[in-house]
Amino acid sequence: MSQIIAMSDKDDGSDDSDVSVVLKTRPKTKKPPLYKVLILNDDYTPMEFVVHVLEKFFGMSHQQSFELMLTVHKKGMAVVGVYSHEIAETKVTQVMDFARRHQHPLQCTMEKE
Ligand code: TYC
């Protein structure tokens, strides 16, 4: 798809009220889609482990991590960040691998924003 852009035909800063306007087309650049990374609640993963995961992989402070962990614990899930597809996928893989290595059932998924 192309976009029509109205452009003034002069660049002297004066207004366009009395002059012609040229129309130009340019290819519409598509922004890459963003993905939400979600953490899900479960009954077994220790709270401290989730706090550690949020600090380690999402660069949150201890307080931020603790608050978000509690939100997930109470509401069932929360968005922990929004990233490009590749970064979101990496985060999900890192969290899932780390949780499995520690034998916790913690779930982390991504969805298109
Ligand atoms: N519900 C867990 C517990 O009571 C804690 C928990 C919080 C687990 C957040 C997962 O994403 C989670 N130990």
Side-chain angles (χ1 to χ4, degrees):
M1 268 266 269
S2 278
Q3 231 178 355
I4 305 276
I5 312 124
M7 298 184 76
S8 169
D9 60 352
K10 55 191 174 47
D11 56 11
D12 63 1
S14 60
D15 74 44
D16 287 320
S17 55
D18 61 340
V19 297
S20 63
V21 164
V22 292
L23 297 178
K24 256 193 162 184
T25 61
R26 73 175 169 215
K28 197 171 191 176
T29 54
K30 259 224 155 79
K31 289 192 200 119
L34 292 174
Y35 292 80
K36 298 183 283 196
V37 171
L38 304 137
I39 294 272
L40 278 58
N41 187 38
D42 66 73
D43 292 339
Y44 305 103
T45 304
M47 289 185 172
E48 316 80 68
F49 183 81
V50 179
V51 172
H52 182 58
V53 162
L54 297 176
E55 289 173 341
K56 184 177 172 71
F57 297 112
F58 298 93
M60 294 182 194
S61 70
H62 189 77
Q63 186 175 335
Q64 273 182 311
S65 300
F66 190 84
E67 285 168 7
L68 193 57
M69 178 281 296
L70 271 189
T71 300
V72 178
H73 177 70
K74 289 187 217 157
K75 309 240 170 174
M77 65 164 65
V79 175
V80 296
V82 177
Y83 307 95
S84 69
H85 188 272
E86 191 178 357
I87 303 286
E89 212 162 52
T90 301
K91 301 278 180 198
V92 169
T93 302
Q94 286 174 328
V95 172
M96 295 297 275
D97 287 355
F98 191 66
R100 285 325 150 255
R101 270 196 277 139
H102 291 84
Q103 303 189 321
H104 296 311
L106 181 64
Q107 293 291 331
C108 180
T109 59
M110 60 193 271
E111 65 179 45
K112 205 168 177 179
E113 212 183 30

